[in-house]
Amino acid sequence: MRKVIFYLGTGFANVKYEEIMEFEDGTTDEEISEIFHDWYEEKLDASWWDIKE
C-alpha cells in the first residue's frame, strides 16, 4: 500500500483540509494527481464570470 497525504490550505487561519489516502502499489503519480484534483475541487467553491458594464 502506498500512503499519501492530501493537503489543501486556504490561506485563512485554521482553515485547512488534510486526508491520508491509501493507494494500491503501482498507482502512478499521474493517477494520484487526478484523484487529488477531484478531492480538492470537492472542498472548494470557486468560480469566475464576466462583468457586464
Side-chain angles (χ1 to χ4, degrees), residues 6-39:
F6 284 2
Y7 174 82
L8 173 64
T10 63
F12 295 100
N14 299 320
V15 182
K16 65 180 181 176
Y17 299 94
E18 281 185 3
E19 188 171 345
I20 296 174
M21 305 292 280
E22 294 185 1
F23 297 94
E24 295 294 327
D25 292 335
T27 303
T28 66
D29 289 350
E30 291 79 18
E31 291 170 320
I32 292 174
S33 290
E34 288 178 16
I35 294 167
F36 175 68
H37 184 267
D38 293 340
W39 176 85

